[in-house]
Amino acid sequence: MKSSFYFSTLATAALVLMGLNVSAQATDWTSFDYVGYATGGQYTDFNTSILSRANGNGVMDTSYDPTSLAWSNTVFAGVGYIATQGWYWGGELNADYANASGFQSNVVPYGDEGGFYMENRMNVSAKWSGDVDLLFGHTLDTANHWTAYMKIGPSVTEAKLTYKAQDIQGPDTNIDSSGDVDKTILGALFGIGLRDQFADNWMWGIETDYTYYPWQTVSQTVPFDIINPPPDQEITYGFNPSMLSVKASLAFTF
């Protein structure tokens, strides 16, 4: 329900922006194509949860909040339109690679009578993402070299997670469980930026983007090594990451 409302809002905003651009006369617009590369830093808050149950009993239910600061590398291609009045709009495709990964562990009690403790270790990563955006803005000078813009559009990333639970009471205990899962999750990107057409076929810019992925889950069943034969352990992973990036770009225009 939350995801459908989120994307409906984005679609409405895109239609409003397109409507504003269409209000200008078609003969006023000049178009250009471009390709480029951007690099900078990306901060990721993974906001992940794990719910683990064996034989119907709760083993672990906890939230993790590992963060990551990674180097972001983006290739992009787009088309832009500039009106004689200075209005600007366009469309853009971005593919990003950032080695974003986080680790967190905790110790939780288990058992009906308490006194038993299990260490849970989790690694999570989201190393690539892609987005398709609508851009809208206005030039800042009479020569239409400097352009300020905003961008908005859907985004996709692949979240990968490994999980391990191990009893830490001593050599006489043998609780040992692990999981490994990945999920492609959908979200939305919003950004603002500034670009300068400093030569006939070149422009550089600076941009900051915020990407949000609404809560999404995936489940798996793995053996839970506490008795022989081991019972099934049902694990549900929840993903709700967000990303903030700041990057500089260089693009060639056609």
Side-chain angles (χ1 to χ4, degrees), residues 142-180:
T142 55
N144 290 347
H145 287 169
W146 288 90
T147 304
Y149 63 91
M150 59 167 284
K151 62 191 301 186
I152 189 170
S155 179
V156 61
T157 190
E158 183 182 25
K160 293 187 175 183
L161 183 146
T162 58
Y163 155 70
K164 183 175 181 63
Q166 189 168 18
D167 196 305
I168 58 174
Q169 300 304 306
D172 295 332
T173 57
N174 62 347
I175 295 180
D176 188 355
S177 180
S178 61
D180 188 347

PDB file of all heavy atoms in Angstrom, residues 142-180:
ATOM      1  N   THR A 142      22.179  34.584 -19.659  1.00  0.00           N
ATOM      2  CA  THR A 142      21.549  34.882 -20.947  1.00  0.00           C
ATOM      3  C   THR A 142      22.086  34.008 -22.068  1.00  0.00           C
ATOM      4  O   THR A 142      21.393  33.758 -23.063  1.00  0.00           O
ATOM      5  CB  THR A 142      21.752  36.356 -21.310  1.00  0.00           C
ATOM      6  OG1 THR A 142      23.161  36.666 -21.296  1.00  0.00           O
ATOM      7  CG2 THR A 142      21.038  37.260 -20.301  1.00  0.00           C
ATOM      8  N   ALA A 143      23.309  33.521 -21.928  1.00  0.00           N
ATOM      9  CA  ALA A 143      23.891  32.648 -22.956  1.00  0.00           C
ATOM     10  C   ALA A 143      23.460  31.195 -22.795  1.00  0.00           C
ATOM     11  O   ALA A 143      23.831  30.345 -23.605  1.00  0.00           O
ATOM     12  CB  ALA A 143      25.411  32.745 -22.920  1.00  0.00           C
ATOM     13  N   ASN A 144      22.690  30.889 -21.748  1.00  0.00           N
ATOM     14  CA  ASN A 144      22.205  29.526 -21.483  1.00  0.00           C
ATOM     15  C   ASN A 144      23.340  28.519 -21.288  1.00  0.00           C
ATOM     16  O   ASN A 144      23.243  27.359 -21.697  1.00  0.00           O
ATOM     17  CB  ASN A 144      21.268  29.043 -22.597  1.00  0.00           C
ATOM     18  CG  ASN A 144      19.942  29.777 -22.591  1.00  0.00           C
ATOM     19  OD1 ASN A 144      19.615  30.469 -21.627  1.00  0.00           O
ATOM     20  ND2 ASN A 144      19.187  29.638 -23.667  1.00  0.00           N
ATOM     21  N   HIS A 145      24.420  28.959 -20.641  1.00  0.00           N
ATOM     22  CA  HIS A 145      25.528  28.049 -20.346  1.00  0.00           C
ATOM     23  C   HIS A 145      25.331  27.348 -19.002  1.00  0.00           C
ATOM     24  O   HIS A 145      25.595  26.166 -18.871  1.00  0.00           O
ATOM     25  CB  HIS A 145      26.853  28.812 -20.351  1.00  0.00           C
ATOM     26  CG  HIS A 145      27.316  29.201 -21.716  1.00  0.00           C
ATOM     27  ND1 HIS A 145      28.359  30.086 -21.937  1.00  0.00           N
ATOM     28  CD2 HIS A 145      26.863  28.852 -22.944  1.00  0.00           C
ATOM     29  CE1 HIS A 145      28.535  30.265 -23.241  1.00  0.00           C
ATOM     30  NE2 HIS A 145      27.647  29.524 -23.863  1.00  0.00           N
ATOM     31  N   TRP A 146      24.886  28.093 -17.992  1.00  0.00           N
ATOM     32  CA  TRP A 146      24.669  27.526 -16.659  1.00  0.00           C
ATOM     33  C   TRP A 146      23.209  27.129 -16.498  1.00  0.00           C
ATOM     34  O   TRP A 146      22.308  27.922 -16.786  1.00  0.00           O
ATOM     35  CB  TRP A 146      25.043  28.535 -15.581  1.00  0.00           C
ATOM     36  CG  TRP A 146      26.518  28.747 -15.446  1.00  0.00           C
ATOM     37  CD1 TRP A 146      27.272  29.673 -16.107  1.00  0.00           C
ATOM     38  CD2 TRP A 146      27.411  28.022 -14.609  1.00  0.00           C
ATOM     39  NE1 TRP A 146      28.590  29.584 -15.737  1.00  0.00           N
ATOM     40  CE2 TRP A 146      28.713  28.569 -14.817  1.00  0.00           C
ATOM     41  CE3 TRP A 146      27.256  26.970 -13.712  1.00  0.00           C
ATOM     42  CZ2 TRP A 146      29.832  28.086 -14.146  1.00  0.00           C
ATOM     43  CZ3 TRP A 146      28.378  26.497 -13.037  1.00  0.00           C
ATOM     44  CH2 TRP A 146      29.647  27.047 -13.256  1.00  0.00           C
ATOM     45  N   THR A 147      22.995  25.898 -16.026  1.00  0.00           N
ATOM     46  CA  THR A 147      21.643  25.389 -15.845  1.00  0.00           C
ATOM     47  C   THR A 147      21.496  24.770 -14.463  1.00  0.00           C
ATOM     48  O   THR A 147      22.297  23.902 -14.083  1.00  0.00           O
ATOM     49  CB  THR A 147      21.287  24.331 -16.907  1.00  0.00           C
ATOM     50  OG1 THR A 147      21.468  24.882 -18.215  1.00  0.00           O
ATOM     51  CG2 THR A 147      19.850  23.859 -16.750  1.00  0.00           C
ATOM     52  N   ALA A 148      20.489  25.193 -13.718  1.00  0.00           N
ATOM     53  CA  ALA A 148      20.123  24.566 -12.443  1.00  0.00           C
ATOM     54  C   ALA A 148      18.900  23.691 -12.683  1.00  0.00           C
ATOM     55  O   ALA A 148      17.990  24.081 -13.422  1.00  0.00           O
ATOM     56  CB  ALA A 148      19.821  25.627 -11.392  1.00  0.00           C
ATOM     57  N   TYR A 149      18.876  22.512 -12.072  1.00  0.00           N
ATOM     58  CA  TYR A 149      17.801  21.566 -12.366  1.00  0.00           C
ATOM     59  C   TYR A 149      17.491  20.685 -11.169  1.00  0.00           C
ATOM     60  O   TYR A 149      18.288  20.564 -10.223  1.00  0.00           O
ATOM     61  CB  TYR A 149      18.175  20.689 -13.562  1.00  0.00           C
ATOM     62  CG  TYR A 149      19.391  19.823 -13.311  1.00  0.00           C
ATOM     63  CD1 TYR A 149      19.264  18.525 -12.800  1.00  0.00           C
ATOM     64  CD2 TYR A 149      20.683  20.295 -13.574  1.00  0.00           C
ATOM     65  CE1 TYR A 149      20.369  17.738 -12.558  1.00  0.00           C
ATOM     66  CE2 TYR A 149      21.793  19.506 -13.326  1.00  0.00           C
ATOM     67  CZ  TYR A 149      21.638  18.236 -12.822  1.00  0.00           C
ATOM     68  OH  TYR A 149      22.736  17.455 -12.569  1.00  0.00           O
ATOM     69  N   MET A 150      16.342  20.069 -11.213  1.00  0.00           N
ATOM     70  CA  MET A 150      15.978  18.995 -10.304  1.00  0.00           C
ATOM     71  C   MET A 150      15.679  17.762 -11.136  1.00  0.00           C
ATOM     72  O   MET A 150      15.378  17.865 -12.327  1.00  0.00           O
ATOM     73  CB  MET A 150      14.748  19.368  -9.464  1.00  0.00           C
ATOM     74  CG  MET A 150      13.506  19.690 -10.262  1.00  0.00           C
ATOM     75  SD  MET A 150      11.995  19.761  -9.267  1.00  0.00           S
ATOM     76  CE  MET A 150      11.708  18.007  -9.014  1.00  0.00           C
ATOM     77  N   LYS A 151      15.758  16.598 -10.507  1.00  0.00           N
ATOM     78  CA  LYS A 151      15.485  15.350 -11.222  1.00  0.00           C
ATOM     79  C   LYS A 151      14.717  14.416 -10.301  1.00  0.00           C
ATOM     80  O   LYS A 151      14.887  14.428  -9.070  1.00  0.00           O
ATOM     81  CB  LYS A 151      16.784  14.697 -11.713  1.00  0.00           C
ATOM     82  CG  LYS A 151      17.735  14.289 -10.612  1.00  0.00           C
ATOM     83  CD  LYS A 151      19.119  13.905 -11.122  1.00  0.00           C
ATOM     84  CE  LYS A 151      19.117  12.759 -12.092  1.00  0.00           C
ATOM     85  NZ  LYS A 151      20.482  12.335 -12.454  1.00  0.00           N
ATOM     86  N   ILE A 152      13.892  13.576 -10.899  1.00  0.00           N
ATOM     87  CA  ILE A 152      13.091  12.631 -10.124  1.00  0.00           C
ATOM     88  C   ILE A 152      12.780  11.423 -10.994  1.00  0.00           C
ATOM     89  O   ILE A 152      12.593  11.561 -12.214  1.00  0.00           O
ATOM     90  CB  ILE A 152      11.781  13.292  -9.621  1.00  0.00           C
ATOM     91  CG1 ILE A 152      11.048  12.389  -8.619  1.00  0.00           C
ATOM     92  CG2 ILE A 152      10.881  13.701 -10.763  1.00  0.00           C
ATOM     93  CD1 ILE A 152       9.912  13.078  -7.914  1.00  0.00           C
ATOM     94  N   GLY A 153      12.792  10.227 -10.406  1.00  0.00           N
ATOM     95  CA  GLY A 153      12.492   9.035 -11.182  1.00  0.00           C
ATOM     96  C   GLY A 153      12.639   7.765 -10.381  1.00  0.00           C
ATOM     97  O   GLY A 153      13.151   7.766  -9.253  1.00  0.00           O
ATOM     98  N   PRO A 154      12.194   6.636 -10.929  1.00  0.00           N
ATOM     99  CA  PRO A 154      12.304   5.345 -10.241  1.00  0.00           C
ATOM    100  C   PRO A 154      13.741   4.832 -10.231  1.00  0.00           C
ATOM    101  O   PRO A 154      14.526   5.128 -11.135  1.00  0.00           O
ATOM    102  CB  PRO A 154      11.399   4.434 -11.071  1.00  0.00           C
ATOM    103  CG  PRO A 154      11.408   5.042 -12.444  1.00  0.00           C
ATOM    104  CD  PRO A 154      11.506   6.520 -12.230  1.00  0.00           C
ATOM    105  N   SER A 155      14.065   4.061  -9.199  1.00  0.00           N
ATOM    106  CA  SER A 155      15.409   3.511  -9.038  1.00  0.00           C
ATOM    107  C   SER A 155      15.323   2.040  -8.657  1.00  0.00           C
ATOM    108  O   SER A 155      14.339   1.589  -8.063  1.00  0.00           O
ATOM    109  CB  SER A 155      16.174   4.288  -7.963  1.00  0.00           C
ATOM    110  OG  SER A 155      17.473   3.766  -7.779  1.00  0.00           O
ATOM    111  N   VAL A 156      16.369   1.284  -8.985  1.00  0.00           N
ATOM    112  CA  VAL A 156      16.428  -0.137  -8.653  1.00  0.00           C
ATOM    113  C   VAL A 156      17.827  -0.457  -8.137  1.00  0.00           C
ATOM    114  O   VAL A 156      18.826   0.125  -8.586  1.00  0.00           O
ATOM    115  CB  VAL A 156      16.080  -1.011  -9.883  1.00  0.00           C
ATOM    116  CG1 VAL A 156      17.064  -0.785 -11.019  1.00  0.00           C
ATOM    117  CG2 VAL A 156      16.025  -2.494  -9.514  1.00  0.00           C
ATOM    118  N   THR A 157      17.926  -1.357  -7.155  1.00  0.00           N
ATOM    119  CA  THR A 157      19.207  -1.833  -6.662  1.00  0.00           C
ATOM    120  C   THR A 157      19.058  -3.287  -6.229  1.00  0.00           C
ATOM    121  O   THR A 157      17.939  -3.782  -6.051  1.00  0.00           O
ATOM    122  CB  THR A 157      19.723  -0.978  -5.490  1.00  0.00           C
ATOM    123  OG1 THR A 157      21.075  -1.337  -5.186  1.00  0.00           O
ATOM    124  CG2 THR A 157      18.874  -1.187  -4.244  1.00  0.00           C
ATOM    125  N   GLU A 158      20.180  -3.979  -6.058  1.00  0.00           N
ATOM    126  CA  GLU A 158      20.169  -5.358  -5.574  1.00  0.00           C
ATOM    127  C   GLU A 158      20.815  -5.409  -4.197  1.00  0.00           C
ATOM    128  O   GLU A 158      22.004  -5.100  -4.056  1.00  0.00           O
ATOM    129  CB  GLU A 158      20.908  -6.290  -6.532  1.00  0.00           C
ATOM    130  CG  GLU A 158      20.851  -7.746  -6.090  1.00  0.00           C
ATOM    131  CD  GLU A 158      21.621  -8.672  -7.017  1.00  0.00           C
ATOM    132  OE1 GLU A 158      22.552  -8.204  -7.699  1.00  0.00           O
ATOM    133  OE2 GLU A 158      21.287  -9.867  -7.055  1.00  0.00           O
ATOM    134  N   ALA A 159      20.031  -5.757  -3.194  1.00  0.00           N
ATOM    135  CA  ALA A 159      20.535  -5.891  -1.834  1.00  0.00           C
ATOM    136  C   ALA A 159      20.938  -7.337  -1.589  1.00  0.00           C
ATOM    137  O   ALA A 159      20.154  -8.258  -1.835  1.00  0.00           O
ATOM    138  CB  ALA A 159      19.476  -5.454  -0.826  1.00  0.00           C
ATOM    139  N   LYS A 160      22.155  -7.538  -1.106  1.00  0.00           N
ATOM    140  CA  LYS A 160      22.652  -8.872  -0.780  1.00  0.00           C
ATOM    141  C   LYS A 160      22.959  -8.939   0.708  1.00  0.00           C
ATOM    142  O   LYS A 160      23.528  -8.002   1.272  1.00  0.00           O
ATOM    143  CB  LYS A 160      23.904  -9.197  -1.596  1.00  0.00           C
ATOM    144  CG  LYS A 160      23.645  -9.326  -3.083  1.00  0.00           C
ATOM    145  CD  LYS A 160      24.889  -9.825  -3.812  1.00  0.00           C
ATOM    146  CE  LYS A 160      24.612 -10.066  -5.277  1.00  0.00           C
ATOM    147  NZ  LYS A 160      25.782 -10.614  -5.993  1.00  0.00           N
ATOM    148  N   LEU A 161      22.595 -10.068   1.330  1.00  0.00           N
ATOM    149  CA  LEU A 161      22.772 -10.202   2.770  1.00  0.00           C
ATOM    150  C   LEU A 161      23.216 -11.610   3.125  1.00  0.00           C
ATOM    151  O   LEU A 161      22.697 -12.590   2.578  1.00  0.00           O
ATOM    152  CB  LEU A 161      21.459  -9.866   3.487  1.00  0.00           C
ATOM    153  CG  LEU A 161      21.461  -9.875   5.010  1.00  0.00           C
ATOM    154  CD1 LEU A 161      20.516  -8.798   5.538  1.00  0.00           C
ATOM    155  CD2 LEU A 161      21.041 -11.235   5.558  1.00  0.00           C
ATOM    156  N   THR A 162      24.187 -11.716   4.018  1.00  0.00           N
ATOM    157  CA  THR A 162      24.567 -12.996   4.609  1.00  0.00           C
ATOM    158  C   THR A 162      24.369 -12.895   6.116  1.00  0.00           C
ATOM    159  O   THR A 162      24.648 -11.859   6.729  1.00  0.00           O
ATOM    160  CB  THR A 162      26.032 -13.362   4.300  1.00  0.00           C
ATOM    161  OG1 THR A 162      26.900 -12.334   4.796  1.00  0.00           O
ATOM    162  CG2 THR A 162      26.243 -13.523   2.809  1.00  0.00           C
ATOM    163  N   TYR A 163      23.887 -13.980   6.708  1.00  0.00           N
ATOM    164  CA  TYR A 163      23.526 -13.990   8.126  1.00  0.00           C
ATOM    165  C   TYR A 163      24.057 -15.267   8.761  1.00  0.00           C
ATOM    166  O   TYR A 163      23.995 -16.345   8.173  1.00  0.00           O
ATOM    167  CB  TYR A 163      21.997 -13.898   8.249  1.00  0.00           C
ATOM    168  CG  TYR A 163      21.420 -14.456   9.517  1.00  0.00           C
ATOM    169  CD1 TYR A 163      21.628 -13.818  10.731  1.00  0.00           C
ATOM    170  CD2 TYR A 163      20.649 -15.616   9.500  1.00  0.00           C
ATOM    171  CE1 TYR A 163      21.093 -14.329  11.901  1.00  0.00           C
ATOM    172  CE2 TYR A 163      20.101 -16.128  10.661  1.00  0.00           C
ATOM    173  CZ  TYR A 163      20.325 -15.482  11.857  1.00  0.00           C
ATOM    174  OH  TYR A 163      19.794 -15.992  12.997  1.00  0.00           O
ATOM    175  N   LYS A 164      24.588 -15.126   9.991  1.00  0.00           N
ATOM    176  CA  LYS A 164      25.064 -16.299  10.715  1.00  0.00           C
ATOM    177  C   LYS A 164      24.701 -16.133  12.188  1.00  0.00           C
ATOM    178  O   LYS A 164      24.928 -15.073  12.779  1.00  0.00           O
ATOM    179  CB  LYS A 164      26.570 -16.469  10.570  1.00  0.00           C
ATOM    180  CG  LYS A 164      27.115 -17.721  11.258  1.00  0.00           C
ATOM    181  CD  LYS A 164      28.584 -17.899  10.973  1.00  0.00           C
ATOM    182  CE  LYS A 164      29.120 -19.171  11.647  1.00  0.00           C
ATOM    183  NZ  LYS A 164      28.480 -20.394  11.117  1.00  0.00           N
ATOM    184  N   ALA A 165      24.121 -17.183  12.771  1.00  0.00           N
ATOM    185  CA  ALA A 165      23.800 -17.218  14.195  1.00  0.00           C
ATOM    186  C   ALA A 165      24.577 -18.364  14.838  1.00  0.00           C
ATOM    187  O   ALA A 165      24.589 -19.482  14.319  1.00  0.00           O
ATOM    188  CB  ALA A 165      22.297 -17.419  14.404  1.00  0.00           C
ATOM    189  N   GLN A 166      25.217 -18.070  15.968  1.00  0.00           N
ATOM    190  CA  GLN A 166      26.025 -19.095  16.634  1.00  0.00           C
ATOM    191  C   GLN A 166      25.929 -18.937  18.141  1.00  0.00           C
ATOM    192  O   GLN A 166      26.031 -17.826  18.675  1.00  0.00           O
ATOM    193  CB  GLN A 166      27.491 -18.991  16.192  1.00  0.00           C
ATOM    194  CG  GLN A 166      28.347 -20.147  16.661  1.00  0.00           C
ATOM    195  CD  GLN A 166      29.694 -20.154  15.965  1.00  0.00           C
ATOM    196  OE1 GLN A 166      30.114 -19.155  15.406  1.00  0.00           O
ATOM    197  NE2 GLN A 166      30.361 -21.292  15.998  1.00  0.00           N
ATOM    198  N   ASP A 167      25.719 -20.084  18.833  1.00  0.00           N
ATOM    199  CA  ASP A 167      25.664 -20.081  20.289  1.00  0.00           C
ATOM    200  C   ASP A 167      27.046 -19.725  20.836  1.00  0.00           C
ATOM    201  O   ASP A 167      28.069 -20.211  20.352  1.00  0.00           O
ATOM    202  CB  ASP A 167      25.240 -21.467  20.778  1.00  0.00           C
ATOM    203  CG  ASP A 167      24.786 -21.434  22.224  1.00  0.00           C
ATOM    204  OD1 ASP A 167      25.566 -20.963  23.076  1.00  0.00           O
ATOM    205  OD2 ASP A 167      23.651 -21.863  22.494  1.00  0.00           O
ATOM    206  N   ILE A 168      27.073 -18.882  21.863  1.00  0.00           N
ATOM    207  CA  ILE A 168      28.361 -18.465  22.426  1.00  0.00           C
ATOM    208  C   ILE A 168      28.520 -18.935  23.871  1.00  0.00           C
ATOM    209  O   ILE A 168      29.319 -18.378  24.622  1.00  0.00           O
ATOM    210  CB  ILE A 168      28.522 -16.934  22.354  1.00  0.00           C
ATOM    211  CG1 ILE A 168      27.384 -16.235  23.102  1.00  0.00           C
ATOM    212  CG2 ILE A 168      28.584 -16.456  20.914  1.00  0.00           C
ATOM    213  CD1 ILE A 168      27.577 -14.726  23.194  1.00  0.00           C
ATOM    214  N   GLN A 169      27.786 -20.012  24.287  1.00  0.00           N
ATOM    215  CA  GLN A 169      27.850 -20.487  25.666  1.00  0.00           C
ATOM    216  C   GLN A 169      29.108 -21.305  25.945  1.00  0.00           C
ATOM    217  O   GLN A 169      29.636 -21.261  27.039  1.00  0.00           O
ATOM    218  CB  GLN A 169      26.610 -21.326  25.978  1.00  0.00           C
ATOM    219  CG  GLN A 169      25.308 -20.563  25.813  1.00  0.00           C
ATOM    220  CD  GLN A 169      25.288 -19.311  26.662  1.00  0.00           C
ATOM    221  OE1 GLN A 169      25.508 -19.365  27.861  1.00  0.00           O
ATOM    222  NE2 GLN A 169      25.033 -18.179  26.033  1.00  0.00           N
ATOM    223  N   GLY A 170      29.559 -22.054  24.961  1.00  0.00           N
ATOM    224  CA  GLY A 170      30.730 -22.879  25.214  1.00  0.00           C
ATOM    225  C   GLY A 170      30.787 -24.056  24.268  1.00  0.00           C
ATOM    226  O   GLY A 170      29.949 -24.205  23.382  1.00  0.00           O
ATOM    227  N   PRO A 171      31.777 -24.938  24.429  1.00  0.00           N
ATOM    228  CA  PRO A 171      31.985 -26.044  23.484  1.00  0.00           C
ATOM    229  C   PRO A 171      30.895 -27.111  23.524  1.00  0.00           C
ATOM    230  O   PRO A 171      30.795 -27.917  22.607  1.00  0.00           O
ATOM    231  CB  PRO A 171      33.334 -26.634  23.927  1.00  0.00           C
ATOM    232  CG  PRO A 171      33.445 -26.258  25.374  1.00  0.00           C
ATOM    233  CD  PRO A 171      32.784 -24.921  25.504  1.00  0.00           C
ATOM    234  N   ASP A 172      30.055 -27.131  24.567  1.00  0.00           N
ATOM    235  CA  ASP A 172      29.030 -28.170  24.668  1.00  0.00           C
ATOM    236  C   ASP A 172      27.766 -27.816  23.894  1.00  0.00           C
ATOM    237  O   ASP A 172      26.838 -28.631  23.824  1.00  0.00           O
ATOM    238  CB  ASP A 172      28.666 -28.418  26.134  1.00  0.00           C
ATOM    239  CG  ASP A 172      29.839 -28.977  26.913  1.00  0.00           C
ATOM    240  OD1 ASP A 172      30.681 -29.646  26.277  1.00  0.00           O
ATOM    241  OD2 ASP A 172      29.912 -28.735  28.130  1.00  0.00           O
ATOM    242  N   THR A 173      27.659 -26.632  23.387  1.00  0.00           N
ATOM    243  CA  THR A 173      26.474 -26.219  22.638  1.00  0.00           C
ATOM    244  C   THR A 173      26.802 -26.185  21.157  1.00  0.00           C
ATOM    245  O   THR A 173      27.948 -26.028  20.757  1.00  0.00           O
ATOM    246  CB  THR A 173      25.992 -24.838  23.098  1.00  0.00           C
ATOM    247  OG1 THR A 173      27.058 -23.901  22.950  1.00  0.00           O
ATOM    248  CG2 THR A 173      25.549 -24.863  24.546  1.00  0.00           C
ATOM    249  N   ASN A 174      25.776 -26.361  20.344  1.00  0.00           N
ATOM    250  CA  ASN A 174      26.053 -26.528  18.915  1.00  0.00           C
ATOM    251  C   ASN A 174      25.050 -25.792  18.021  1.00  0.00           C
ATOM    252  O   ASN A 174      24.781 -26.234  16.910  1.00  0.00           O
ATOM    253  CB  ASN A 174      26.068 -28.022  18.556  1.00  0.00           C
ATOM    254  CG  ASN A 174      24.714 -28.678  18.817  1.00  0.00           C
ATOM    255  OD1 ASN A 174      23.849 -28.108  19.465  1.00  0.00           O
ATOM    256  ND2 ASN A 174      24.551 -29.895  18.310  1.00  0.00           N
ATOM    257  N   ILE A 175      24.480 -24.698  18.511  1.00  0.00           N
ATOM    258  CA  ILE A 175      23.594 -23.924  17.647  1.00  0.00           C
ATOM    259  C   ILE A 175      24.427 -23.229  16.567  1.00  0.00           C
ATOM    260  O   ILE A 175      25.365 -22.498  16.861  1.00  0.00           O
ATOM    261  CB  ILE A 175      22.798 -22.882  18.447  1.00  0.00           C
ATOM    262  CG1 ILE A 175      21.852 -23.579  19.428  1.00  0.00           C
ATOM    263  CG2 ILE A 175      22.021 -21.953  17.523  1.00  0.00           C
ATOM    264  CD1 ILE A 175      21.038 -22.623  20.253  1.00  0.00           C
ATOM    265  N   ASP A 176      24.107 -23.494  15.346  1.00  0.00           N
ATOM    266  CA  ASP A 176      24.858 -22.908  14.239  1.00  0.00           C
ATOM    267  C   ASP A 176      23.910 -22.800  13.049  1.00  0.00           C
ATOM    268  O   ASP A 176      23.422 -23.818  12.548  1.00  0.00           O
ATOM    269  CB  ASP A 176      26.060 -23.784  13.891  1.00  0.00           C
ATOM    270  CG  ASP A 176      26.984 -23.108  12.879  1.00  0.00           C
ATOM    271  OD1 ASP A 176      26.622 -22.020  12.389  1.00  0.00           O
ATOM    272  OD2 ASP A 176      28.047 -23.668  12.578  1.00  0.00           O
ATOM    273  N   SER A 177      23.639 -21.601  12.602  1.00  0.00           N
ATOM    274  CA  SER A 177      22.711 -21.399  11.510  1.00  0.00           C
ATOM    275  C   SER A 177      23.202 -20.256  10.638  1.00  0.00           C
ATOM    276  O   SER A 177      23.838 -19.316  11.127  1.00  0.00           O
ATOM    277  CB  SER A 177      21.308 -21.088  12.037  1.00  0.00           C
ATOM    278  OG  SER A 177      20.410 -20.882  10.968  1.00  0.00           O
ATOM    279  N   SER A 178      22.938 -20.333   9.334  1.00  0.00           N
ATOM    280  CA  SER A 178      23.373 -19.269   8.437  1.00  0.00           C
ATOM    281  C   SER A 178      22.413 -19.153   7.261  1.00  0.00           C
ATOM    282  O   SER A 178      21.674 -20.088   6.935  1.00  0.00           O
ATOM    283  CB  SER A 178      24.797 -19.538   7.919  1.00  0.00           C
ATOM    284  OG  SER A 178      24.847 -20.745   7.187  1.00  0.00           O
ATOM    285  N   GLY A 179      22.425 -17.993   6.647  1.00  0.00           N
ATOM    286  CA  GLY A 179      21.584 -17.732   5.478  1.00  0.00           C
ATOM    287  C   GLY A 179      22.296 -16.810   4.515  1.00  0.00           C
ATOM    288  O   GLY A 179      23.192 -16.054   4.890  1.00  0.00           O
ATOM    289  N   ASP A 180      21.887 -16.856   3.265  1.00  0.00           N
ATOM    290  CA  ASP A 180      22.490 -16.034   2.217  1.00  0.00           C
ATOM    291  C   ASP A 180      21.387 -15.720   1.213  1.00  0.00           C
ATOM    292  O   ASP A 180      20.810 -16.643   0.611  1.00  0.00           O
ATOM    293  CB  ASP A 180      23.636 -16.793   1.543  1.00  0.00           C
ATOM    294  CG  ASP A 180      24.422 -15.919   0.583  1.00  0.00           C
ATOM    295  OD1 ASP A 180      23.942 -14.819   0.248  1.00  0.00           O
ATOM    296  OD2 ASP A 180      25.510 -16.342   0.159  1.00  0.00           O
TER     297      ASP A 180
END
